[in-house]
Amino acid sequence: MKRLSEILDKVRGGGRMDRADSKFLLEIDERSYASGLVRAAASSVVRSATDNAAIILGQIGVEVSPCPADCKFCTFGEGHTRFERSKITDEALSQKIHDFCKDGDLYGLYLMTMHTYDVDFYLNTVRKARRLAPPATQIWANIGDTDADVLKEIKKNGVTGIYHVLRLREGADTRLKPENRLKTMRNAIDAGLELYTCIEPIGPEHTNDEIVENLFATLDLGIVQHAAMRRVAVPGSPLFQYGQISELRLAHIVAVVALATARLPKMAYIGTHEPNELSYLAGANIATAESGANPRDVALDTAKGRGRDVADCRKMFFECGFTNLRRGDESNIPLDFGYLVKTRA
Ligand code: SF4
């Protein structure tokens, strides 16, 4: 307990955790009293830095194809997918944006595509989304490895930042090169985009050393958000056989990520995926509602499958004691029972 107290005191006092501290925290059993302390400390550090506010994101899958990255955990990998090539229609895009944004409290809207994608179609979709979404909702990109010139175009057309990750076992469980993943992140920063990243997709087979390695690979790139996501065992995907970690284990990892990133200069919010209450009591304050294609779902429109809607996200945050929702212009909306009634959550 002495080492644990020293680490938590260091972070509370404004210090940064190192790799050894992070590994020490990850080694703690998530069912233990010590894990309860780690999760409570992470929650308190994050909430006190953000006015006890949480943010809701929306994600729309805009293009689907059998994906050449062939990630062994993803429903779109070309070696095992059952999906055909398709693109979102103008009508569907505008309906989904309306559904996500109608109450004016969506912080950011992700437009997600595959590893290789039609750049002109994507830019066109970005322009439409920027026109349709309220000014206080940011537009974000979730795209494959991309060079600096295209990222500059993406920014010019209204995108604030990109979600990009170096996946666990990148290059072994995917056909992508780790160095290209990191290069895209640096390209994004050079293009003036914000960078949001995540440790994903965490399965029971990943060691704490791998998680620490992944965490520290991106810490000094200038990230604005970090997160942890567990791998969903998608039926038909090659890694289905390994199963899943529990939401409690995910919450413990989220807490370690929150503490390890709390003192980075630009860090603002911490994500967990898929949305779950245990992580919202352990430092996470981002929930993503999803619609359209989703790598963790066998339904073509995840809104009819695994995806949560915005009302679910609001209610989860209320139940977990958050008192503000934040818009993309960083203004707060008081999150109370009256607001839930008004927004039909
Ligand atoms: S996770 Fe992304 S890059 Fe990998 S197969 Fe799925 S869509 Fe392609």
Side-chain angles (χ1 to χ4, degrees):
M1 285 306 250
K2 183 165 175 286
R3 174 96 196 267
L4 173 59
S5 301
E6 283 167 3
I7 296 171
L8 298 183
D9 285 349
K10 175 157 85 173
V11 177
R12 278 198 296 257
R16 265 182 78 168
M17 276 167 39
D18 61 18
R19 286 169 194 255
D21 296 334
S22 305
K23 173 141 186 228
F24 179 84
L25 296 190
L26 284 169
E27 297 280 329
I28 292 170
D29 186 319
E30 65 274 15
R31 291 152 293 204
S32 65
Y33 173 69
S35 172
L37 293 180
V38 172
R39 286 179 276 124
S43 180
S44 141
V45 164
V46 171
R47 288 178 191 234
S48 59
T50 49
D51 263 347
N52 198 25
I55 67 172
I56 302 174
L57 310 176
Q59 173 152 282
I60 303 176
V62 301
E63 184 178 356
V64 167
S65 61
C67 181
D70 207 23
C71 304
K72 291 184 184 165
F73 42 80
C74 171
T75 195
F76 302 121
E78 70 178 2
H80 52 270
T81 191
R82 294 190 183 154
F83 284 101
E84 304 284 329
R85 210 167 271 279
S86 67
K87 287 177 178 161
I88 197 164
T89 62
D90 281 354
E91 296 69 36
L93 180 73
S94 108
Q95 184 62 52
K96 286 177 191 301
I97 292 176
H98 169 79
D99 292 347
F100 276 138
C101 298
K102 61 181 185 294
D103 293 300
D105 58 4
L106 197 78
Y107 184 97
L109 181 69
Y110 272 126
L111 302 174
M112 190 202 74
T113 184
M114 307 282 104
H115 179 66
T116 49
Y117 60 102
D118 177 340
V119 172
D120 290 337
F121 173 77
Y122 193 79
L123 288 171
N124 212 7
T125 307
V126 165
R127 284 191 285 274
K128 284 181 200 150
R130 187 56 286 167
R131 265 199 317 275
L132 292 166
T137 295
Q138 301 179 9
I139 306 295
W140 295 0
N142 183 350
I143 51 181
D145 284 330
T146 301
D147 66 35
D149 288 345
V150 173
L151 287 165
K152 281 179 194 151
E153 276 305 300
I154 284 174
K155 168 148 173 78
K156 213 187 286 172
N157 283 281
V159 168
T160 303
I162 72 162
Y163 177 83
H164 212 68
V165 302
L166 172 66
R167 299 182 191 84
L168 290 161
R169 302 193 185 174
E170 191 82 75
D173 287 341
T174 75
R175 287 189 193 150
L176 306 179
K177 292 194 172 136
E179 57 272 27
N180 291 346
R181 306 295 294 168
L182 292 166
K183 177 85 173 41
T184 297
M185 295 189 210
R186 286 192 287 269
N187 288 344
I189 299 278
D190 291 346
L193 291 158
E194 291 185 353
L195 178 59
Y196 322 123
T197 195
C198 180
I199 302 175
E200 61 139 297
I202 307 168
E205 74 278 18
H206 295 124
T207 64
N208 291 328
D209 282 322
E210 285 177 287
I211 293 173
V212 170
E213 219 29 65
N214 191 281
L215 172 62
F216 279 77
T218 57
L219 276 199
D220 290 314
L221 291 179
I223 51 172
V224 172
Q225 288 175 21
H226 214 310
M229 181 178 94
R230 70 172 174 172
R231 185 182 64 242
V232 171
V234 180
S237 66
L239 298 187
F240 176 78
Q241 49 168 326
Y242 288 114
Q244 298 184 179
I245 61 167
S246 67
E247 287 189 350
L248 184 60
R249 183 65 193 160
L250 175 62
H252 184 83
I253 297 170
V254 163
V256 177
V257 173
L259 291 168
T261 57
R263 303 306 170 207
L264 297 182
K266 295 186 176 169
M267 265 303 288
Y269 302 105
I270 294 284
T272 181
H273 216 59
E274 294 164 322
N276 68 93
E277 286 90 345
L278 291 171
S279 290
Y280 296 130
L281 300 173
N285 55 5
I286 303 174
T288 306
E290 294 177 288
S291 194
N294 164 4
R296 286 158 280 100
D297 204 340
V298 290
L300 184 54
D301 187 351
T302 196
K304 300 187 178 88
R306 300 187 64 87
R308 299 270 191 165
D309 67 14
V310 176
D312 290 339
C313 297
R314 276 184 206 116
K315 184 156 187 309
M316 282 177 109
F317 283 143
F318 173 80
E319 300 294 3
C320 293
F322 288 94
T323 47
N324 287 299
L325 284 180
R326 206 163 264 180
R327 299 185 189 90
D329 61 1
E330 307 298 335
S331 59
N332 281 335
I333 303 170
L335 175 60
D336 52 22
F337 185 70
Y339 187 70
L340 290 188
V341 172
K342 195 173 115 198
T343 54
R344 304 160 301 283

